[in-house]
Amino acid sequence: MEDEDDPVIEEIPVYLSKTLAENLYLLQYPVKASSATFDDGQVVNSCVKPINQQIKVDYALNTASKNYDSFKGEQFAIAADGKDKDRQQQKPTFRSGTMDKQSFLSSKPIEDVNRYMLCVLQDREIHGTALKGIISMRQVFSYFDKQDKRTKAEEKAEQDADADEEELKQVTVKFARTENEKVRKAREKSFNYIAKMESEEPWCETFWHTKNSTAAELERQKLYCGGSTRSGIDGALNVTSDEYLGMLISKEKTDRNIDSMLPSRVISMHKLKQMPLIDQIKNILKDAKVLTFQQIIDLLPDRSVATEKVLRTLPMAGVLIRGNWVVQSDIIYPEGSVSRTNGVPAEQMCKARDYILYRYTQCDTLERHQLALITQLPTEEIHEILNSVAKLNSDRSWSLLLPPNEDFSTNELEISDRQNAFWAAQADNFNDMEKCTKRSPKKSTRSDSKYDVKMSNG
């Protein structure tokens, strides 16, 4: 469309304010009704964890309302803090003796907020400030947790009082293993480690200013770009339309799918196009799990690449499973890495995944418990491997994500023969794994023998 068919109606200047850029957070309340608002709510307490970027806000409840159940409110307070005043905590959950507040705790739905900003329109000017973070506030019911902890503590105290003498307990000594840099980084990304760090950071009390207060108004004024700051904006945004478009497009990741076959949070086409062909194929296979050759051709950013060149490159990144391509195991589990759940080393994960892929060249479906028995991996790791190439059927068996593609095996006979030779060379190792499992005693036999011993001793 030519410019004269779509004329510019009006130009609005845009200014960037950096005064609050390091302290501006957007709070969302995703579980509240659209008609509800907390603008006029009374905040009785607020605190933050600056390092982990957590916020906790307590809103007062109107206990005098006709819709408030006073009896239930008192029961909740007793359940959380107990009946005996001598045993109450120094800082009770509800000071008034009834449930008089509701608490909201934050979580971060989006880690990367570099492309988000808060804008204000005033006097036909747009003033924008980059966000430091986006936070979702969800209601928490910590008083139920306090009730459970207090009940367990009381039961333990009663058991200790009834015990006449202290029983001897067996103590197991464990020595911590030395970990390399990669293992340490993987551990620090685990859920348990992050949760521990969040729980260890103390809460810092804060002052809450209502939206109509003088302090709140002074902070809102910082969203506007002052006259001294505007002088440098024109030069900073003096770029061409192509350069501006390039700044808007993420060069690392995109929130949209490359194709319906690819999951979200994959590498963008912009980034993919800058890679060598081998790296393009690795990333496509890694994100899409199982693909036909035609699907790989369609997903490549440069459609002009010769088919022969793609066929030569594919075996360096993937393996052929009954006419479909799957990424190689050492790309999923590079050397020095560990599995997500139990920290199984990459060498064991690659060996188990290669065995599972080999089995899919022989049969249509696999059973998870049999694979766990042969590979000697935890159930979570087997589930992780199967999810990367297969789908769960109604009979609890697992089959490949795509049906066999006999056309490719027929048309590309040379590549198919080479791939078959590769699996044939690995067959002896896989057969040894199965033989070792058959020679080992069954779990049911061991459990039966233990049961017989207990019965004879009884």
Side-chain angles (χ1 to χ4, degrees):
M1 182 181 291
E2 298 181 358
D3 293 341
E4 53 267 19
D5 296 333
D6 190 16
V8 176
I9 299 177
E10 184 178 359
E11 293 185 2
I12 301 176
V14 179
Y15 301 101
L16 302 179
S17 176
K18 298 182 180 180
T19 308
L20 294 177
E22 295 299 321
N23 301 287
L24 186 59
Y25 291 83
L26 175 64
L27 272 63
Q28 300 174 332
Y29 292 82
V31 296
K32 75 176 182 64
S34 58
S35 58
T37 176
F38 289 101
D39 291 343
D40 299 324
Q42 181 184 356
V43 176
V44 295
N45 184 44
S46 63
C47 47
V48 299
K49 290 185 177 182
I51 298 177
N52 291 286
Q53 296 185 1
Q54 279 189 308
I55 300 176
K56 184 180 179 182
V57 182
D58 295 336
Y59 288 93
L61 290 175
N62 183 13
T63 57
S65 172
K66 63 179 181 180
N67 299 318
Y68 181 82
D69 191 334
S70 302
F71 176 76
K72 279 291 184 183
E74 293 176 359
Q75 291 298 314
F76 282 136
I78 293 174
D81 301 325
K83 293 181 180 180
D84 191 351
K85 294 183 179 180
D86 295 334
R87 292 185 301 170
Q88 286 186 358
Q89 303 174 2
Q90 295 181 357
K91 188 177 181 181
T93 307
F94 306 109
R95 296 180 181 275
S96 62
T98 184
M99 181 181 174
D100 55 1
K101 64 180 180 180
Q102 55 180 342
S103 301
F104 287 82
L105 185 64
S106 68
S107 61
K108 291 190 292 185
I110 301 176
E111 293 291 339
D112 185 10
V113 296
N114 292 330
R115 289 180 290 161
Y116 296 91
M117 61 190 313
L118 188 146
C119 296
V120 181
L121 177 62
Q122 186 181 50
D123 298 333
R124 311 199 71 78
E125 294 178 348
I126 294 180
H127 300 258
T129 303
L131 289 175
K132 181 67 175 179
I134 297 178
I135 293 175
S136 292
M137 303 294 295
R138 300 177 184 272
Q139 190 171 0
V140 292
F141 307 92
S142 57
Y143 43 88
F144 288 125
D145 297 333
K146 286 188 175 183
Q147 179 184 5
D148 294 338
K149 291 180 181 179
R150 187 172 51 80
T151 302
K152 292 179 181 179
E154 291 175 355
E155 292 176 354
K156 184 179 179 180
E158 292 177 359
Q159 293 175 359
D160 293 342
D162 295 337
D164 296 331
E165 59 182 12
E166 183 179 358
E167 297 180 359
L168 297 178
K169 295 183 180 180
Q170 183 179 356
V171 179
T172 303
V173 180
K174 294 184 178 180
F175 297 93
R177 295 180 297 177
T178 58
E179 57 181 11
N180 55 32
E181 186 69 15
K182 292 184 178 180
V183 175
R184 183 185 64 81
K185 290 182 178 180
R187 178 177 58 82
E188 290 178 354
K189 291 182 180 179
S190 65
F191 172 79
N192 292 335
Y193 181 84
I194 296 175
K196 180 182 177 182
M197 295 301 295
E198 289 181 352
S199 61
E200 289 180 351
E201 183 183 1
W203 287 104
C204 300
E205 296 287 343
T206 60
F207 293 99
W208 184 276
H209 301 280
T210 60
K211 65 175 184 177
N212 297 324
S213 64
T214 304
E217 181 60 30
L218 292 175
E219 292 299 316
R220 278 194 295 269
Q221 292 300 320
K222 296 178 182 179
L223 296 173
Y224 299 95
C225 194
S228 59
T229 315
R230 296 188 185 189
S231 58
I233 293 298
D234 295 336
L237 296 182
N238 187 19
V239 295
T240 64
S241 57
D242 292 337
E243 292 173 339
Y244 179 67
L245 182 61
M247 294 167 62
L248 292 178
I249 299 176
S250 172
K251 299 184 183 299
E252 295 296 331
K253 292 184 178 181
T254 178
D255 293 335
R256 298 185 178 273
N257 296 346
I258 293 178
D259 191 87
S260 59
M261 294 174 291
L262 294 182
S264 60
R265 306 181 75 86
V266 298
I267 293 180
S268 66
M269 278 292 191
H270 181 85
K271 182 68 175 179
L272 198 65
K273 195 172 183 179
Q274 299 175 353
M275 297 180 177
L277 180 60
I278 178 65
D279 292 334
Q280 293 180 16
I281 295 176
K282 284 181 180 180
N283 282 280
I284 289 175
L285 287 176
K286 184 177 179 180
D287 290 328
K289 300 180 179 180
V290 182
L291 288 175
T292 64
F293 177 72
Q294 186 58 48
Q295 288 174 334
I296 295 173
I297 294 294
D298 295 338
L299 288 171
L300 289 175
D302 187 2
R303 302 292 179 87
S304 62
V305 178
T307 303
E308 292 77 11
K309 185 176 181 181
V310 178
L311 287 173
R312 290 196 305 268
T313 310
L314 259 176
M316 293 185 289
V319 291
L320 189 65
I321 307 293
R322 308 183 77 174
N324 299 310
W325 288 94
V326 180
V327 69
Q328 294 178 1
S329 298
D330 57 355
I331 297 176
I332 298 291
Y333 302 105
E335 184 179 358
S337 64
V338 294
S339 63
R340 303 175 189 172
T341 307
N342 295 302
V344 178
E347 182 181 358
Q348 292 180 250
M349 295 296 293
C350 289
K351 185 177 180 181
R353 188 175 185 271
D354 287 341
Y355 171 75
I356 292 174
L357 296 181
Y358 166 74
R359 289 292 306 276
Y360 273 123
T361 64
Q362 308 294 319
C363 54
D364 295 328
T365 60
L366 298 175
E367 301 290 340
R368 189 179 66 175
H369 67 277
Q370 293 180 352
L371 297 175
L373 186 63
I374 294 174
T375 60
Q376 298 297 305
L377 285 187
T379 305
E380 294 83 0
E381 271 64 24
I382 295 296
H383 192 274
E384 178 182 323
I385 294 175
L386 287 172
N387 268 330
S388 67
V389 294
K391 59 183 177 181
L392 181 63
N393 302 319
S394 57
D395 60 351
R396 310 304 297 174
S397 64
W398 292 78
S399 59
L400 274 179
L401 290 173
L402 293 181
N405 182 16
E406 302 298 340
D407 293 340
F408 180 84
S409 301
T410 304
N411 298 334
E412 303 296 338
L413 190 60
E414 182 180 354
I415 292 182
S416 181
D417 290 342
R418 287 203 300 266
Q419 290 290 309
N420 291 335
F422 167 77
W423 289 118
Q426 303 290 328
D428 292 339
N429 296 330
F430 297 144
N431 291 334
D432 291 340
M433 292 173 57
E434 296 177 348
K435 291 178 182 179
C436 291
T437 304
K438 292 179 181 179
R439 288 196 298 266
S440 62
K442 296 182 180 180
K443 294 182 178 180
S444 58
T445 304
R446 292 196 299 266
S447 61
D448 292 342
S449 62
K450 289 181 180 179
Y451 182 76
D452 293 338
V453 171
K454 290 181 181 178
M455 292 296 292
S456 61
N457 290 339

